[in-house]
Amino acid sequence: MTDELNQRIIDFFEQIQKYYGCKTEITEGLYSRYEDFDANVTTWNLSEFILIRSAYRKAGDRLMIEGEKMYYEISAKIIVDFKQPARHTYEFVELYGSSVYRITKIKFHSKY
């Protein structure tokens, strides 16, 4: 992870409190061959909840977000990409093996 990528992730989590109380959608996809990404051969999951809190779990290096009866973690050490493709929308890409990736798209339905 580059210093620039690391700083963008830190900035995101330092400002995530502004989304507390907002409806949050997480779309998660598992796929291989990042350079050749194809949504049609990706396994997708969707979760919706109201964001209650977030934290960084130092043991295990995990970024955590939580809603009522919902808990989601992103492994900070294996993030290979992070971007903000739209307002209130963020995407993390983690590398879980030599060719297995997880993309996590987080969309906040902000009142702002």
Side-chain angles (χ1 to χ4, degrees), residues 17-94:
Q17 294 88 355
K18 68 183 175 185
Y19 296 117
Y20 286 6
C22 292
K23 178 182 172 186
T24 303
E25 292 179 16
I26 294 181
T27 305
E28 169 192 63
L30 296 173
Y31 59 97
S32 61
R33 294 182 31 210
Y34 183 66
E35 307 80 32
D36 212 12
F37 176 72
D38 182 351
N40 294 312
V41 293
T42 301
T43 302
W44 294 102
N45 296 298
L46 172 66
S47 301
E48 295 180 347
F49 57 94
I50 303 299
L51 183 63
I52 296 173
R53 74 188 72 148
S54 63
Y56 181 78
R57 181 165 55 90
K58 197 166 182 87
D61 293 314
R62 300 294 193 259
L63 306 168
M64 306 176 307
I65 58 176
E66 185 177 352
E68 188 174 323
K69 298 184 180 184
M70 177 61 190
Y71 188 79
Y72 195 83
E73 291 187 338
I74 297 169
S75 180
K77 282 193 168 192
I78 60 173
I79 295 172
V80 295
D81 195 12
F82 171 73
K83 58 187 141 198
Q84 183 178 1
R87 190 169 186 216
H88 310 301
T89 303
Y90 304 87
E91 291 183 5
F92 292 87
V93 177
E94 300 160 89

Coordinates of all heavy atoms in Angstrom, one line a residue, residues 17-94:
Q17 N -17.8 9.5 10.9 CA -18.8 9.8 11.9 C -20.0 10.6 11.3 O -21.1 10.6 11.8 CB -18.2 10.6 13.1 CG -17.3 9.7 13.9 CD -15.9 9.8 13.4 OE1 -15.6 10.5 12.4 NE2 -14.9 9.2 14.1
K18 N -19.7 11.4 10.3 CA -20.7 12.2 9.6 C -21.8 11.3 9.0 O -22.9 11.8 8.8 CB -20.2 13.1 8.6 CG -19.6 12.5 7.4 CD -19.0 13.5 6.4 CE -18.3 12.8 5.2 NZ -17.6 13.8 4.4
Y19 N -21.6 10.0 8.8 CA -22.6 9.1 8.3 C -23.3 8.3 9.3 O -24.2 7.5 9.0 CB -21.9 8.2 7.3 CG -21.3 8.8 6.1 CD1 -20.0 8.8 5.8 CD2 -22.1 9.5 5.2 CE1 -19.4 9.4 4.7 CE2 -21.6 10.2 4.1 CZ -20.2 10.1 3.8 OH -19.7 10.7 2.7
Y20 N -23.0 8.5 10.6 CA -23.7 7.8 11.7 C -25.1 8.2 11.6 O -25.5 9.3 11.4 CB -23.1 8.2 13.1 CG -21.8 7.5 13.4 CD1 -21.0 6.8 12.5 CD2 -21.2 7.7 14.6 CE1 -19.8 6.3 12.8 CE2 -20.0 7.2 15.0 CZ -19.3 6.5 14.0 OH -18.1 5.9 14.4
G21 N -26.0 7.2 11.7 CA -27.4 7.4 11.6 C -28.0 7.3 10.1 O -29.2 7.4 9.9
C22 N -27.1 7.1 9.2 CA -27.5 7.1 7.8 C -27.7 5.6 7.3 O -27.0 4.7 7.8 CB -26.4 7.7 6.9 SG -26.2 9.5 7.0
K23 N -28.6 5.4 6.4 CA -28.8 4.1 5.8 C -27.5 3.9 5.0 O -27.0 4.7 4.3 CB -30.0 4.1 4.8 CG -30.1 2.8 4.1 CD -31.3 2.9 3.1 CE -31.3 1.6 2.3 NZ -32.4 1.7 1.2
T24 N -27.0 2.6 5.2 CA -25.7 2.3 4.6 C -25.9 1.0 3.8 O -26.5 0.0 4.2 CB -24.6 2.0 5.7 OG1 -24.5 3.2 6.4 CG2 -23.3 1.6 5.1
E25 N -25.4 1.0 2.5 CA -25.5 -0.2 1.7 C -24.0 -0.7 1.5 O -23.2 0.1 1.1 CB -26.0 0.1 0.3 CG -27.5 0.4 0.3 CD -28.0 0.8 -1.1 OE1 -27.2 0.5 -2.1 OE2 -29.0 1.4 -1.3
I26 N -23.8 -2.0 1.7 CA -22.6 -2.6 1.4 C -22.8 -3.7 0.3 O -23.6 -4.6 0.5 CB -21.9 -3.3 2.6 CG1 -21.5 -2.2 3.6 CG2 -20.7 -4.1 2.2 CD1 -20.9 -2.7 4.9
T27 N -22.2 -3.5 -0.8 CA -22.2 -4.5 -1.9 C -20.8 -5.1 -1.9 O -19.8 -4.4 -2.0 CB -22.5 -3.9 -3.2 OG1 -23.7 -3.2 -3.1 CG2 -22.6 -4.9 -4.3
E28 N -20.7 -6.4 -1.7 CA -19.5 -7.1 -1.6 C -19.4 -8.1 -2.8 O -20.3 -8.9 -3.0 CB -19.4 -7.9 -0.3 CG -18.3 -8.8 -0.1 CD -18.5 -9.7 1.1 OE1 -19.5 -10.5 1.1 OE2 -17.6 -9.7 2.0
G29 N -18.2 -8.1 -3.4 CA -18.0 -9.1 -4.5 C -16.7 -9.8 -4.4 O -15.7 -9.3 -4.0
L30 N -16.8 -11.1 -4.7 CA -15.6 -12.0 -4.7 C -15.2 -12.4 -6.1 O -16.1 -12.8 -6.8 CB -15.8 -13.2 -3.8 CG -16.0 -13.0 -2.4 CD1 -16.4 -14.4 -1.7 CD2 -14.7 -12.5 -1.7
Y31 N -14.0 -12.2 -6.5 CA -13.6 -12.5 -7.9 C -12.1 -12.8 -8.0 O -11.4 -12.6 -7.0 CB -14.0 -11.4 -8.8 CG -13.4 -10.0 -8.5 CD1 -12.3 -9.6 -9.1 CD2 -14.0 -9.2 -7.5 CE1 -11.7 -8.4 -8.8 CE2 -13.4 -8.0 -7.2 CZ -12.2 -7.6 -7.9 OH -11.7 -6.4 -7.6
S32 N -11.7 -13.2 -9.1 CA -10.3 -13.5 -9.4 C -9.9 -12.7 -10.6 O -10.7 -12.1 -11.3 CB -10.0 -15.0 -9.6 OG -10.7 -15.5 -10.7
R33 N -8.6 -12.5 -10.8 CA -8.0 -11.8 -11.9 C -8.4 -10.4 -11.9 O -9.2 -10.0 -12.8 CB -8.3 -12.5 -13.2 CG -7.6 -13.9 -13.3 CD -7.8 -14.6 -14.5 NE -8.0 -13.8 -15.7 CZ -8.7 -14.2 -16.7 NH1 -9.3 -15.3 -16.7 NH2 -8.9 -13.4 -17.8
Y34 N -7.9 -9.5 -11.1 CA -8.2 -8.1 -10.9 C -8.1 -7.3 -12.2 O -9.0 -6.5 -12.5 CB -7.4 -7.5 -9.8 CG -7.7 -6.1 -9.5 CD1 -8.9 -5.7 -8.9 CD2 -6.7 -5.1 -9.8 CE1 -9.2 -4.4 -8.7 CE2 -7.0 -3.8 -9.5 CZ -8.2 -3.4 -8.9 OH -8.5 -2.1 -8.6
E35 N -7.1 -7.6 -13.0 CA -6.9 -6.9 -14.2 C -8.0 -7.1 -15.2 O -8.2 -6.3 -16.1 CB -5.6 -7.3 -14.9 CG -4.4 -7.2 -14.0 CD -4.2 -8.4 -13.1 OE1 -4.6 -9.5 -13.4 OE2 -3.7 -8.2 -11.9
D36 N -8.7 -8.3 -15.1 CA -9.7 -8.7 -16.0 C -11.0 -8.8 -15.4 O -11.8 -9.7 -15.6 CB -9.3 -10.1 -16.5 CG -9.7 -10.4 -18.0 OD1 -10.0 -9.4 -18.6 OD2 -9.6 -11.5 -18.4
F37 N -11.4 -7.8 -14.5 CA -12.6 -7.8 -13.7 C -13.8 -7.9 -14.6 O -14.0 -7.2 -15.6 CB -12.7 -6.6 -12.9 CG -14.0 -6.5 -12.1 CD1 -14.2 -7.3 -11.0 CD2 -14.9 -5.5 -12.4 CE1 -15.4 -7.2 -10.3 CE2 -16.1 -5.5 -11.7 CZ -16.3 -6.3 -10.7
D38 N -14.7 -8.8 -14.3 CA -16.0 -9.0 -15.0 C -17.1 -9.2 -14.0 O -17.1 -10.2 -13.3 CB -15.9 -10.2 -15.9 CG -17.1 -10.4 -16.8 OD1 -18.2 -9.8 -16.5 OD2 -17.1 -11.3 -17.6
A39 N -18.0 -8.3 -13.8 CA -19.1 -8.4 -12.9 C -19.9 -9.6 -13.0 O -20.5 -10.1 -12.1 CB -19.9 -7.1 -12.9
N40 N -20.0 -10.1 -14.2 CA -20.8 -11.3 -14.5 C -20.3 -12.6 -13.9 O -21.0 -13.5 -13.7 CB -21.0 -11.5 -16.0 CG -21.8 -10.4 -16.6 OD1 -22.9 -10.0 -16.1 ND2 -21.3 -9.8 -17.7
V41 N -19.0 -12.6 -13.6 CA -18.4 -13.8 -13.0 C -17.9 -13.6 -11.6 O -17.1 -14.2 -11.1 CB -17.2 -14.4 -13.9 CG1 -17.8 -14.9 -15.2 CG2 -16.2 -13.4 -14.1
T42 N -18.6 -12.6 -11.0 CA -18.3 -12.2 -9.6 C -19.4 -12.7 -8.7 O -20.6 -12.6 -9.1 CB -18.1 -10.7 -9.5 OG1 -17.0 -10.3 -10.3 CG2 -17.8 -10.3 -8.1
T43 N -19.1 -13.2 -7.5 CA -20.1 -13.5 -6.5 C -20.5 -12.3 -5.7 O -19.6 -11.7 -5.0 CB -19.6 -14.7 -5.6 OG1 -19.3 -15.8 -6.4 CG2 -20.7 -15.1 -4.6
W44 N -21.8 -11.9 -5.7 CA -22.2 -10.6 -5.0 C -23.0 -10.9 -3.8 O -23.8 -11.8 -3.7 CB -23.0 -9.8 -6.0 CG -22.1 -9.3 -7.1 CD1 -22.1 -9.8 -8.4 CD2 -21.2 -8.2 -7.1 NE1 -21.3 -9.1 -9.2 CE2 -20.7 -8.1 -8.4 CE3 -20.8 -7.3 -6.1 CZ2 -19.7 -7.2 -8.8 CZ3 -19.8 -6.4 -6.5 CH2 -19.3 -6.3 -7.8
N45 N -22.9 -10.0 -2.8 CA -23.7 -10.0 -1.6 C -24.1 -8.5 -1.3 O -23.3 -7.6 -1.6 CB -23.0 -10.5 -0.4 CG -22.6 -12.0 -0.5 OD1 -23.5 -12.8 -0.6 ND2 -21.3 -12.3 -0.6
L46 N -25.3 -8.3 -0.8 CA -25.8 -6.9 -0.5 C -26.3 -6.9 0.9 O -27.1 -7.8 1.3 CB -26.9 -6.5 -1.5 CG -27.6 -5.2 -1.1 CD1 -26.6 -4.0 -1.2 CD2 -28.8 -5.0 -2.0
S47 N -25.9 -5.9 1.7 CA -26.4 -5.7 3.0 C -26.8 -4.3 3.2 O -26.2 -3.4 2.6 CB -25.3 -6.0 4.1 OG -24.8 -7.3 4.0
E48 N -27.8 -4.0 4.0 CA -28.3 -2.7 4.3 C -28.5 -2.6 5.8 O -29.1 -3.5 6.4 CB -29.6 -2.4 3.5 CG -29.5 -2.3 2.0 CD -30.8 -2.0 1.4 OE1 -31.9 -2.0 2.0 OE2 -30.8 -1.7 0.2
F49 N -28.1 -1.4 6.3 CA -28.3 -1.2 7.7 C -28.1 0.3 8.0 O -27.6 1.1 7.1 CB -27.3 -2.0 8.6 CG -25.9 -1.8 8.2 CD1 -25.1 -0.9 8.9 CD2 -25.3 -2.5 7.2 CE1 -23.8 -0.6 8.6 CE2 -23.9 -2.3 6.8 CZ -23.2 -1.3 7.5
I50 N -28.4 0.7 9.2 CA -28.2 2.1 9.7 C -26.8 2.1 10.4 O -26.6 1.3 11.3 CB -29.3 2.6 10.6 CG1 -30.6 2.5 10.0 CG2 -28.9 4.0 11.2 CD1 -30.8 3.4 8.7
L51 N -25.9 2.9 10.0 CA -24.5 2.9 10.5 C -24.6 3.5 12.0 O -25.1 4.6 12.2 CB -23.6 3.8 9.7 CG -22.2 3.9 10.2 CD1 -21.5 2.5 10.1 CD2 -21.4 4.8 9.3
I52 N -24.1 2.7 12.9 CA -24.1 3.1 14.3 C -22.7 3.6 14.8 O -22.6 4.6 15.4 CB -24.6 1.9 15.2 CG1 -26.0 1.6 14.9 CG2 -24.4 2.3 16.7 CD1 -26.5 0.3 15.6
R53 N -21.7 2.8 14.4 CA -20.4 3.1 14.8 C -19.3 2.5 13.9 O -19.6 1.7 13.1 CB -20.1 2.7 16.3 CG -19.9 1.2 16.5 CD -19.9 0.9 17.9 NE -21.2 1.0 18.3 CZ -21.9 0.4 19.2 NH1 -21.4 -0.5 19.9 NH2 -23.2 0.5 19.4
S54 N -18.1 3.0 14.1 CA -17.0 2.5 13.3 C -15.8 2.4 14.2 O -15.7 3.2 15.2 CB -16.7 3.3 12.1 OG -16.3 4.6 12.5
A55 N -14.8 1.6 13.9 CA -13.6 1.6 14.7 C -12.5 0.9 13.9 O -12.7 0.4 12.8 CB -13.8 0.8 16.0
Y56 N -11.3 1.0 14.5 CA -10.1 0.3 13.9 C -9.7 -0.8 14.9 O -9.4 -0.4 16.1 CB -9.0 1.2 13.6 CG -7.8 0.5 13.0 CD1 -7.8 0.2 11.6 CD2 -6.7 0.2 13.7 CE1 -6.7 -0.5 11.0 CE2 -5.6 -0.4 13.2 CZ -5.6 -0.8 11.8 OH -4.5 -1.4 11.3
R57 N -9.7 -2.0 14.6 CA -9.2 -3.1 15.5 C -7.8 -3.3 15.2 O -7.4 -3.9 14.2 CB -10.0 -4.4 15.3 CG -9.6 -5.5 16.2 CD -10.7 -6.6 16.2 NE -11.0 -7.2 15.0 CZ -10.4 -8.2 14.4 NH1 -9.3 -8.8 15.0 NH2 -10.8 -8.7 13.3
K58 N -6.9 -2.9 16.2 CA -5.5 -2.9 16.0 C -5.0 -4.4 16.0 O -4.2 -4.7 15.1 CB -4.8 -2.2 17.2 CG -3.4 -1.9 16.9 CD -2.9 -0.9 18.0 CE -1.5 -0.5 17.7 NZ -1.3 0.6 16.8
A59 N -5.6 -5.3 16.8 CA -5.3 -6.7 16.8 C -5.9 -7.3 15.5 O -7.1 -7.4 15.5 CB -5.7 -7.4 18.0
G60 N -5.2 -7.5 14.5 CA -5.7 -8.0 13.3 C -5.8 -7.0 12.2 O -6.1 -7.3 11.0
D61 N -5.6 -5.7 12.5 CA -5.6 -4.6 11.5 C -6.8 -4.6 10.7 O -6.8 -4.7 9.5 CB -4.3 -4.7 10.6 CG -3.1 -4.4 11.4 OD1 -3.1 -3.4 12.2 OD2 -2.1 -5.1 11.2
R62 N -8.0 -4.4 11.3 CA -9.3 -4.5 10.6 C -10.0 -3.1 10.8 O -10.0 -2.5 11.9 CB -10.2 -5.5 11.2 CG -9.7 -7.0 11.1 CD -9.6 -7.4 9.7 NE -9.4 -8.8 9.5 CZ -8.2 -9.4 9.3 NH1 -7.1 -8.6 9.1 NH2 -8.1 -10.7 9.1
L63 N -10.5 -2.6 9.7 CA -11.4 -1.5 9.7 C -12.8 -2.0 9.9 O -13.2 -3.0 9.2 CB -11.3 -0.7 8.4 CG -9.9 -0.3 7.9 CD1 -10.0 0.1 6.5 CD2 -9.4 0.8 8.8
M64 N -13.6 -1.5 10.9 CA -14.9 -2.1 11.2 C -16.0 -1.0 11.1 O -15.8 0.1 11.5 CB -14.8 -2.6 12.7 CG -13.7 -3.6 12.9 SD -13.6 -4.1 14.6 CE -13.5 -2.6 15.5
I65 N -17.1 -1.5 10.6 CA -18.3 -0.6 10.6 C -19.5 -1.5 11.1 O -19.5 -2.7 10.9 CB -18.6 0.0 9.3 CG1 -18.8 -1.0 8.2 CG2 -17.5 1.0 8.9 CD1 -19.2 -0.4 6.9
E66 N -20.4 -0.9 11.9 CA -21.4 -1.6 12.6 C -22.8 -0.9 12.5 O -22.9 0.3 12.6 CB -21.0 -1.8 14.0 CG -21.9 -2.6 14.8 CD -21.3 -2.8 16.3 OE1 -20.2 -2.4 16.6 OE2 -22.1 -3.4 17.1
G67 N -23.8 -1.8 12.3 CA -25.1 -1.4 12.4 C -25.8 -2.3 13.4 O -25.2 -3.2 13.9
E68 N -27.1 -2.1 13.7 CA -27.8 -3.0 14.5 C -27.9 -4.4 13.8 O -28.4 -4.5 12.7 CB -29.2 -2.5 14.8 CG -29.9 -3.3 15.9 CD -31.3 -2.7 16.2 OE1 -31.4 -1.5 16.3 OE2 -32.2 -3.5 16.5
K69 N -27.4 -5.4 14.5 CA -27.4 -6.8 14.0 C -26.6 -6.9 12.7 O -26.8 -7.8 11.9 CB -28.8 -7.3 13.8 CG -29.6 -7.4 15.1 CD -30.9 -8.1 14.8 CE -31.7 -8.1 16.1 NZ -33.0 -8.8 15.9
M70 N -25.6 -6.0 12.5 CA -24.8 -6.1 11.3 C -23.4 -5.6 11.7 O -23.2 -4.6 12.4 CB -25.4 -5.1 10.2 CG -24.5 -5.1 9.0 SD -24.4 -6.7 8.2 CE -23.1 -6.3 7.0
Y71 N -22.4 -6.3 11.2 CA -21.0 -6.0 11.5 C -20.2 -6.4 10.3 O -20.4 -7.4 9.7 CB -20.6 -6.9 12.7 CG -19.3 -6.6 13.3 CD1 -19.1 -5.5 14.1 CD2 -18.2 -7.4 13.0 CE1 -17.8 -5.3 14.7 CE2 -16.9 -7.1 13.5 CZ -16.8 -6.1 14.4 OH -15.5 -5.8 14.9
Y72 N -19.3 -5.5 9.9 CA -18.5 -5.7 8.6 C -17.1 -5.2 8.9 O -16.9 -4.2 9.5 CB -19.1 -4.9 7.5 CG -18.6 -5.4 6.1 CD1 -19.2 -6.5 5.5 CD2 -17.5 -4.7 5.5 CE1 -18.7 -6.9 4.3 CE2 -17.1 -5.2 4.3 CZ -17.6 -6.2 3.7 OH -17.2 -6.7 2.5
E73 N -16.1 -6.1 8.4 CA -14.7 -5.7 8.6 C -14.0 -5.7 7.2 O -14.3 -6.5 6.3 CB -14.0 -6.7 9.5 CG -14.5 -6.6 10.9 CD -13.6 -7.5 11.8 OE1 -13.0 -8.5 11.3 OE2 -13.6 -7.2 13.0
I74 N -13.0 -4.9 7.1 CA -12.1 -4.8 5.9 C -10.7 -4.9 6.5 O -10.3 -4.3 7.4 CB -12.3 -3.5 5.2 CG1 -13.7 -3.4 4.7 CG2 -11.3 -3.3 4.1 CD1 -14.1 -2.0 4.1
S75 N -9.9 -5.8 5.9 CA -8.6 -6.1 6.3 C -7.7 -5.0 5.8 O -7.4 -4.9 4.6 CB -8.1 -7.4 5.8 OG -6.8 -7.6 6.3
A76 N -7.2 -4.1 6.7 CA -6.4 -3.0 6.3 C -5.1 -3.4 5.7 O -4.6 -2.7 4.7 CB -6.1 -2.1 7.5
K77 N -4.5 -4.5 6.1 CA -3.2 -4.9 5.6 C -3.2 -5.3 4.1 O -2.2 -5.3 3.4 CB -2.6 -5.9 6.4 CG -2.0 -5.4 7.7 CD -1.1 -6.5 8.4 CE -0.3 -5.8 9.5 NZ 0.7 -6.7 10.0
I78 N -4.3 -5.8 3.6 CA -4.4 -6.3 2.3 C -5.2 -5.5 1.3 O -5.5 -5.9 0.2 CB -4.9 -7.8 2.3 CG1 -6.3 -7.9 2.8 CG2 -3.9 -8.7 3.0 CD1 -6.9 -9.3 2.7
I79 N -5.4 -4.2 1.6 CA -6.1 -3.3 0.7 C -5.1 -3.0 -0.4 O -4.0 -2.5 -0.2 CB -6.6 -2.0 1.4 CG1 -7.6 -2.4 2.4 CG2 -7.1 -1.0 0.4 CD1 -8.0 -1.2 3.3
V80 N -5.6 -3.1 -1.7 CA -4.7 -2.8 -2.8 C -5.3 -1.6 -3.6 O -4.6 -1.1 -4.5 CB -4.6 -4.0 -3.8 CG1 -3.8 -5.1 -3.1 CG2 -5.9 -4.6 -4.3
D81 N -6.6 -1.2 -3.3 CA -7.1 -0.1 -4.0 C -8.3 0.5 -3.1 O -8.9 -0.2 -2.4 CB -7.7 -0.5 -5.3 CG -8.0 0.7 -6.3 OD1 -7.5 1.8 -6.0 OD2 -8.7 0.5 -7.3
F82 N -8.4 1.8 -3.2 CA -9.5 2.5 -2.5 C -9.8 3.7 -3.3 O -8.9 4.5 -3.8 CB -9.0 3.0 -1.1 CG -10.0 3.9 -0.4 CD1 -11.2 3.4 0.1 CD2 -9.7 5.2 -0.3 CE1 -12.1 4.3 0.7 CE2 -10.6 6.1 0.3 CZ -11.8 5.6 0.8
K83 N -11.1 4.0 -3.6 CA -11.5 5.1 -4.3 C -12.9 5.6 -3.9 O -13.6 4.9 -3.3 CB -11.4 4.9 -5.8 CG -12.3 3.7 -6.3 CD -12.0 3.5 -7.8 CE -12.0 2.0 -8.0 NZ -11.3 1.6 -9.2
Q84 N -13.2 6.8 -4.3 CA -14.5 7.4 -4.1 C -15.1 7.7 -5.5 O -14.9 8.8 -6.0 CB -14.4 8.7 -3.3 CG -15.8 9.2 -3.0 CD -15.7 10.5 -2.1 OE1 -14.6 10.9 -1.7 NE2 -16.9 11.0 -1.8
P85 N -15.9 6.7 -6.1 CA -16.4 6.9 -7.5 C -17.5 7.9 -7.6 O -17.8 8.4 -8.6 CB -16.8 5.5 -7.9 CG -17.0 4.8 -6.6 CD -16.1 5.4 -5.6
A86 N -18.2 8.2 -6.4 CA -19.3 9.1 -6.4 C -19.5 9.7 -5.0 O -18.9 9.2 -4.1 CB -20.6 8.4 -6.9
R87 N -20.3 10.7 -4.9 CA -20.5 11.3 -3.6 C -21.1 10.3 -2.7 O -22.0 9.6 -3.1 CB -21.5 12.5 -3.8 CG -21.6 13.4 -2.6 CD -22.3 14.6 -2.9 NE -22.3 15.5 -1.8 CZ -23.3 16.3 -1.4 NH1 -24.3 16.4 -2.1 NH2 -23.2 17.0 -0.3
H88 N -20.6 10.2 -1.5 CA -21.0 9.3 -0.4 C -20.9 7.8 -0.8 O -21.5 7.0 -0.2 CB -22.5 9.6 0.0 CG -22.8 11.0 0.3 ND1 -22.1 11.7 1.3 CD2 -23.6 11.9 -0.3 CE1 -22.6 13.0 1.3 NE2 -23.5 13.1 0.3
T89 N -20.0 7.5 -1.8 CA -19.8 6.1 -2.2 C -18.3 5.9 -2.2 O -17.5 6.7 -2.8 CB -20.4 5.9 -3.6 OG1 -21.8 6.2 -3.6 CG2 -20.2 4.5 -4.1
Y90 N -17.9 4.7 -1.7 CA -16.5 4.4 -1.5 C -16.3 2.9 -1.9 O -17.2 2.1 -1.7 CB -16.0 4.6 -0.1 CG -16.3 6.0 0.4 CD1 -17.5 6.3 1.0 CD2 -15.4 7.0 0.3 CE1 -17.8 7.6 1.4 CE2 -15.6 8.3 0.7 CZ -16.8 8.6 1.2 OH -17.1 9.9 1.6
E91 N -15.1 2.6 -2.5 CA -14.8 1.2 -2.9 C -13.4 0.8 -2.3 O -12.5 1.5 -2.5 CB -14.8 1.1 -4.4 CG -16.1 1.3 -5.0 CD -16.1 1.1 -6.5 OE1 -15.0 0.7 -7.1 OE2 -17.1 1.3 -7.2
F92 N -13.4 -0.3 -1.7 CA -12.2 -0.9 -1.2 C -12.0 -2.2 -2.0 O -12.9 -2.9 -2.3 CB -12.3 -1.3 0.3 CG -12.4 -0.2 1.2 CD1 -13.6 0.4 1.5 CD2 -11.3 0.3 1.8 CE1 -13.7 1.4 2.4 CE2 -11.3 1.4 2.8 CZ -12.6 1.9 3.0
V93 N -10.7 -2.5 -2.4 CA -10.4 -3.8 -3.0 C -9.3 -4.4 -2.1 O -8.2 -3.8 -1.8 CB -9.8 -3.6 -4.4 CG1 -9.4 -5.0 -5.0 CG2 -10.9 -3.0 -5.3
E94 N -9.5 -5.6 -1.7 CA -8.6 -6.4 -0.9 C -8.1 -7.6 -1.7 O -8.9 -8.2 -2.4 CB -9.2 -6.9 0.4 CG -9.8 -5.9 1.3 CD -10.8 -6.4 2.3 OE1 -10.4 -6.9 3.3 OE2 -12.0 -6.5 1.9

